[in-house]
Amino acid sequence: MRNLSRRQILQWIGASSLIGGLGFPFTGFAKTGARIVVLGGGFGGATCAKYLRRFDSSLQVTLIEQNTQFITCPFSNAVIGGLHNMEFITHKYDKLKSKSGINIINASAVGVDPVGKKVNLHNGESISYDRLVVSPGIDFQWDAIEGYDATASEVMPHAWKAGSQTVLLRKQLEAMPNGGTVIIAPPENPFRCPPGPYERASLIAHYLQQNKPKSKLLILDSKDKFSKQTLFQDAWDSFYRDIVEWVPAMDGGKITAVDVKNKTVIAAGEKHKADVINIIPPQKAGNIAHQAGLTNDKGWCPVDQKTFRSTQQKDIYVIGDASIAGKMPKSGYSANSQGKVCAAELVAELQGKTVGVSSWVNTCYSLITPDYGISVAAVYRLSEEGIVGVKDAGGVGPREVPVATRRKEAMYAEGWYRSITSDMFG
Amino acid sequence: MNRASISRLAFVVLAIVLLFPLLSQADDLRSAMLANPCAGCHGPDGDSPGSIPALNNLSAKYISISMKAFKSDQRSGTIMNRIAKGYSDEEIDLMAQYFEDVKKRR
């Protein structure tokens, strides 16, 4: 201690007040009163808006969302399979307004002006910002499968954005005859919710088994492998051996065209006719991200891997499915986790500071039956290669477990849903 | 001890007293950044509304022992064995304290 000069100590105090300023999750950030606009009120945007106000309650946070309520993709497979109703997956924004003090604007954004720093709305108004967080989710590459466009999706639903498409697919399943055929066609990577098509197949198979047991479900896949594959296939063998058939791309699974009028799809030159056809088309970042100049040639948004700041536009952050987030999957949990990191980094940036630790999590449950669940998880950290999963942690659950474990995971799937939606909207 | 060194010592003590809360604030942020992702399953600040155990009603000691037992596979869970392996023991202690302190912050 003797060797310390006053000057050194003063330097310490200076340095640690910089860190100290970031102390609160709660109040420690200095108050900047900056205007933050968040585009998109889904898993990324709603979470980020809420946590921005937690980190700095002086921020003027405006959330722009085109819908007055949010219908989640997670658990929409349970609606399609008849286990839940639409109400279960529908959420309101009122608590974000009343409890978190967020200004909600229900309007669709038609453009971003990164130079003038404002968002233009469809009604002609524009909203100025100091910093913008873009969390637009996905849009579809309508040109990728011949004949499959927005109009075709009214006959062959994608149901990959939850809402009327979810209801349409459910109604088609209810209307199809016992002994009919369902086709699900998942896209190549990357896409929103990698295990989603296979959970959907499981829950549709469950519905068919209970109600239309002579029916078949064909998965025509554009890939040769998929998320949680071993666990899904083990479970299909146990529960749905006579119903589910998975055709990988190498065996002719890749769909190249659809014939809407004849309810037919074409994969590797072969025609497949079905009663219900669920096409999950290739995807890209939400349209507004393209308009704002945030996307690369692959259609997704490159971001600084620590902060989620766009590498292409100043003062704009991108989170959720639209962003390129290293090894993290495009999932609701990832977006929720990114929303919090982005909020802390943005608040720190406004004050010329940095956040010392970067840590993300993704956990994903899939239901095979109402009482049988499987999971995958990872803890993510920043490395020289970007965001990567911690080695020797995470992964899918073991193949051989007591049936009680699967039952617990099915129960936790719903627990997860209640928790994360409470974290976003509560 | 001469007068100069007494005043120097007093200055150092003062500096430590001033520094301490600032340093612990930095730890608060680190704890929060580690603990925030838990909310996805365990609810905001560990306040779980559903079937997954809440964390905001547990002691730091209990959370810490449980997490370390999951990490070493001495306790078997569903997903926590895989998650716990993603953290150092020190990080586990920070997160455990974060959840114990939730009520104090309200």
Side-chain angles (χ1 to χ4, degrees):
Chain A
M1 277 213 173
R2 265 189 170 202
N3 299 327
L4 288 173
S5 69
R6 287 180 192 205
R7 194 196 171 107
Q8 275 174 311
I9 292 167
L10 287 169
Q11 279 171 348
W12 274 13
I13 295 175
S16 64
S17 338
L18 273 183
I19 310 164
L22 296 182
F24 158 42
F26 336 95
T27 57
F29 279 117
K31 314 277 183 206
T32 62
R35 297 163 306 167
I36 316 293
V37 171
V38 179
L39 262 188
F43 281 79
T47 305
C48 190
K50 183 174 165 183
Y51 278 74
L52 279 165
R53 292 270 305 167
R54 268 174 61 126
F55 285 125
D56 178 358
S57 57
S58 76
L59 292 177
Q60 303 169 53
V61 178
T62 300
L63 177 63
I64 300 175
E65 163 58 46
Q66 57 188 338
N67 300 310
T68 53
Q69 48 188 17
F70 184 68
I71 303 175
T72 64
C73 277
F75 269 79
S76 67
N77 284 334
V79 174
I80 290 164
L83 306 178
H84 282 291
N85 56 24
M86 287 296 285
E87 198 187 347
F88 184 74
I89 59 168
T90 303
H91 302 267
K92 294 199 170 76
Y93 290 101
D94 51 356
K95 280 186 191 156
L96 282 182
K97 191 175 182 178
S98 63
K99 281 176 72 181
S100 295
I102 294 160
N103 178 31
I104 314 273
I105 297 180
N106 286 126
S108 60
V110 292
V112 174
D113 172 2
V115 179
K117 296 177 77 165
K118 56 186 183 185
V119 177
N120 300 317
L121 305 180
H122 72 288
N123 57 14
E125 279 181 48
S126 63
I127 311 292
S128 294
Y129 62 80
D130 295 312
R131 294 292 182 280
L132 176 67
V133 178
V134 178
S135 187
I138 52 141
D139 270 301
F140 300 113
Q141 295 184 32
W142 291 121
D143 48 358
I145 297 168
E146 195 189 326
Y148 194 72
D149 55 15
T151 312
S153 77
E154 296 302 320
V155 180
M156 300 179 174
H158 54 76
W160 219 241
K161 288 184 182 188
S164 58
Q165 281 274 309
T166 312
V167 175
L168 177 61
L169 182 53
R170 174 65 194 160
K171 283 192 172 151
Q172 290 185 350
L173 289 166
E174 284 173 343
M176 76 174 253
N178 185 6
T181 302
V182 179
I183 285 176
I184 299 179
E188 285 178 61
N189 294 320
F191 66 103
R192 160 181 282 179
C193 189
Y198 312 97
E199 180 192 58
R200 175 172 293 177
S202 308
L203 293 180
I204 290 178
H206 181 261
Y207 167 75
L208 296 176
Q209 190 174 56
Q210 304 288 313
N211 299 279
K212 291 156 188 179
K214 288 187 233 159
S215 309
K216 299 278 178 210
L217 189 153
L218 190 60
I219 306 169
L220 295 175
D221 210 326
S222 292
K223 303 180 293 303
D224 289 328
K225 53 185 184 178
F226 60 90
S227 173
K228 306 182 201 170
Q229 182 168 350
T230 323
L231 297 186
F232 272 116
Q233 288 182 320
D234 283 355
W236 293 340
D237 268 351
S238 321
F239 294 103
Y240 309 125
R241 190 189 289 266
D242 298 329
I243 297 175
V244 173
E245 184 189 348
W246 175 67
V247 184
M250 59 185 170
D251 294 338
K254 188 176 166 54
I255 283 196
T256 49
V258 299
D259 178 350
V260 174
K261 218 165 71 185
N262 292 308
K263 286 243 178 160
T264 300
V265 303
I266 294 152
E270 199 184 327
K271 286 183 181 172
H272 301 267
K273 198 170 163 60
D275 301 275
V276 177
I277 298 175
N278 170 213
I279 304 283
I280 305 168
Q283 296 152 32
K284 59 182 182 173
N287 287 332
I288 192 81
H290 296 263
Q291 189 282 331
L294 296 164
T295 50
N296 68 8
D297 58 351
K298 301 232 165 63
W300 304 100
C301 304
V303 292
D304 176 83
Q305 298 288 277
K306 180 174 190 293
T307 59
F308 285 76
R309 204 176 315 153
S310 168
T311 56
Q312 299 188 184
Q313 297 288 6
K314 208 167 167 285
D315 300 327
I316 300 181
Y317 291 71
V318 187
I319 53 174
D321 292 347
S323 69
I324 302 170
K327 298 286 184 195
M328 295 186 81
K330 298 188 185 302
S331 73
Y333 203 122
S334 290
N336 168 269
S337 197
Q338 291 159 11
K340 297 168 192 177
V341 168
C342 174
E345 293 283 356
L346 193 160
V347 169
E349 186 242 330
L350 286 170
Q351 301 173 24
K353 298 170 186 173
T354 58
V355 177
V357 65
S358 310
S359 178
W360 302 263
V361 169
N362 180 60
T363 294
C364 165
Y365 292 98
S366 303
L367 291 175
I368 307 288
T369 79
D371 306 312
Y372 188 105
I374 57 175
S375 64
V376 64
V379 178
Y380 294 93
R381 298 296 172 92
L382 200 58
S383 77
E384 281 172 13
E385 293 92 51
I387 302 170
V388 294
V390 176
K391 207 169 160 274
D392 300 324
V396 294
R399 285 178 82 170
E400 306 292 336
V401 294
V403 70
T405 303
R406 301 289 188 224
R407 194 175 304 134
K408 245 184 173 173
E409 293 215 293
M411 194 178 84
Y412 287 161
E414 196 169 314
W416 165 81
Y417 185 77
R418 290 183 190 278
S419 282
I420 200 163
T421 50
S422 162
D423 195 31
M424 293 160 65
F425 298 114
Chain B
M1 203 178 258
N2 63 26
R3 215 179 135 160
S5 64
I6 288 173
S7 90
R8 186 176 295 170
L9 182 63
F11 189 85
V12 168
V13 169
L14 181 67
I16 289 169
V17 168
L18 286 173
L19 270 168
F20 187 76
L22 295 173
L23 288 173
S24 77
Q25 275 193 334
D27 256 8
D28 274 355
L29 180 66
R30 189 165 168 230
S31 307
M33 296 311 289
L34 289 165
N36 280 341
C38 306
C41 287
H42 291 277
D45 281 334
D47 186 9
S48 169
S51 58
I52 293 180
L55 301 175
N56 61 343
N57 53 3
L58 302 175
S59 71
K61 194 175 169 188
Y62 179 82
I63 295 173
S64 179
I65 289 171
S66 301
M67 280 286 278
K68 287 169 190 170
F70 282 132
K71 188 178 162 182
S72 63
D73 290 324
Q74 282 166 317
R75 178 174 167 184
S76 71
T78 52
I79 211 165
M80 286 314 297
N81 299 82
R82 287 171 270 157
I83 301 261
K85 291 180 179 68
Y87 301 95
S88 70
D89 285 358
E90 187 224 353
E91 288 172 337
I92 287 173
D93 291 341
L94 284 174
M95 290 188 280
Q97 195 60 49
Y98 176 92
F99 289 110
E100 184 180 286
D101 290 345
V102 163
K103 287 194 172 68
K104 290 184 207 160
R105 287 195 295 269
R106 289 217 169 115

